[in-house]
Structure formats: C-alpha cells, structure tokens
Amino acid sequence: MFIIRGIIIWFILSTVINAYLMTLPKPFYKKREYPVSYQIKRKNKIDIQNKYECAAFSTAYVLRHFGIDADGFGIYKNFPSKTELGLVYPKGIRTYLKQCGFKTSYYKGNVDSLKYHVSKGNPVIVFIKTSKNENTLHFVPITGYDKNYFYIAESLRELINCSAGKNSYNRKVSIDEFKKIWDIKSLHIPLYSNTYIVVE
C-alpha cells in the first residue's frame, strides 16, 4: 500500500512539474481524413546546429516557412525556458512563437493524427529521441510523409541521410523506426511520448 501511494504521489508531482515546465499535451486521436502522401513544397533552408539548439533551429525553420527571416543561433541566444545546460522545453518553443504572433497547440497523438496535421501545409515540430538506442531528446520539423516514411528538416549533421528534397527535408525515417524514436517516455516524463507542436 505504501509503495502504491508513493507511486501515485510521484506521478502527480512529476505531472505538475512537467505541466509547468513543458505544458501538458492535449490528446488528439480522432480519426480525420488526410492524403496518402504529402510533402511541403515551400522553399526553405535547413541549418545545422552545433550543440543543443534543436528547439531554436526547429522554430527558425517554421518561421521561415511563414516568410519570416529567422536564424537558429540568433533565436537560441534568448530562447525562453532554457535550462542551465542549454536544453529547451516544449514550452519554450510555444512561448517564442506566441511572442512572434503565432498560435500553437501541443498535442499527444499517433501516426494518423501527425499525418493529418502535416497535411494541412505547415511543418509540425515533433519531440523525439535522436535514435531508438539513445535517450537524448531532440526537436525536428516534419515536412512530409508517405506510406513508408516521414520526411524531416534535420538540424543534426550526423542524422542527415538523404540529399535535401527541394530544401524541405534532408532526413527520412521509416514509419516503424519513427514510432520507436517518438516513444520518449521515461520516469521523469511519462506523458510526453508521441507529442508534437502545431503552428498556425
């Protein structure tokens, strides 16, 4: 009984802390219609980060998509919700984009809901692991999909695996592999697998 009570208290405390630091994702599982494949065609550039700037680089990519000249390094300097190590929570991305006049929604969904949101025509920022065998967390914009792959504007040089497709992607990940790196839950963040930020 004592152990169960301790687990419940820990879960409540971690949820409250994460809600403050990261904001809570809203569930989005309702089935919607979307095309079998979709790729954002708008020209953009994909910059390469140095260390922990993935949140700022993802944000800069989205801003350029909307026609705003943005540089990831410049944004990162004063990025909100940055830890002492230089890492950024999802709340930081949302706060920065709100300051730029955009509306954001933070969702927890599945492959179908992610495809639906990408098919609306704007890059969607996802919260993933750099690989299925690592726990390093990473933000990337999803710019397209088809039956077999998600297409990503990747800012980590070592994860680039294809030539830039009309400047909208430089990495493709199979749907099965993507599901593994999208599963980021841990003892500290039990509710944050399969989450993504939609920008309007």
Side-chain angles (χ1 to χ4, degrees):
M1 192 64 166
F2 178 76
I3 293 174
I4 293 173
R5 186 178 301 145
I7 291 171
I8 292 170
I9 290 170
W10 166 82
F11 183 80
I12 291 169
L13 284 175
S14 67
T15 300
V16 170
I17 292 168
N18 286 329
Y20 173 74
L21 294 174
M22 303 185 3
T23 72
L24 283 173
K26 294 183 281 188
F28 193 106
Y29 294 100
K30 187 175 181 181
K31 184 73 174 171
R32 302 285 177 95
E33 294 292 322
Y34 59 84
V36 174
S37 63
Y38 184 84
Q39 185 64 54
I40 292 170
K41 302 292 187 186
R42 192 168 300 175
K43 190 174 180 181
N44 204 329
K45 66 175 180 172
I46 305 172
D47 291 329
I48 304 303
Q49 67 185 79
N50 285 338
K51 202 168 183 184
Y52 301 128
E53 305 95 351
C54 60
F57 275 58
S58 296
T59 301
Y61 185 90
V62 170
L63 288 173
R64 290 193 297 268
H65 170 82
F66 286 105
I68 298 172
D69 188 26
D71 170 69
F73 289 117
I75 290 174
Y76 181 73
K77 286 178 185 175
N78 298 306
F79 212 70
S81 298
K82 191 162 45 173
T83 70
E84 288 183 9
L85 292 175
L87 306 173
V88 176
Y89 294 109
K91 183 178 183 179
I93 296 174
R94 300 187 68 197
T95 300
Y96 190 89
L97 288 167
K98 184 178 180 182
Q99 291 169 352
C100 294
F102 292 91
K103 178 186 175 186
T104 66
S105 299
Y106 190 30
Y107 292 119
K108 181 178 179 67
N110 54 28
V111 166
D112 288 327
S113 66
L114 179 55
K115 286 183 174 181
Y116 165 75
H117 281 107
V118 172
S119 75
K120 293 171 80 173
N122 299 321
V124 173
I125 299 173
V126 295
F127 199 16
I128 59 173
K129 296 186 288 191
T130 52
S131 77
K132 65 181 179 182
N133 298 320
E134 292 186 30
N135 290 322
T136 305
L137 300 179
H138 187 41
F139 293 104
V140 291
I142 300 290
T143 63
Y145 64 85
D146 56 28
K147 184 178 178 182
N148 300 310
Y149 293 96
F150 276 112
Y151 296 88
I152 297 170
E154 179 57 67
S155 59
L156 277 173
R157 190 179 304 279
E158 63 268 28
L159 297 179
I160 295 170
N161 63 10
C162 58
S163 59
K166 295 188 178 180
N167 297 318
S168 65
Y169 69 90
N170 58 0
R171 180 185 180 192
K172 62 180 186 178
V173 179
S174 72
I175 301 290
D176 287 342
E177 181 74 11
F178 183 81
K179 288 177 182 176
K180 293 171 185 172
I181 62 175
W182 204 20
D183 181 8
I184 64 168
K185 68 178 170 288
S186 70
L187 285 174
H188 303 294
I189 51 171
L191 301 176
Y192 290 84
S193 288
N194 302 356
T195 60
Y196 56 94
I197 298 170
V198 172
V199 185
E200 299 174 274

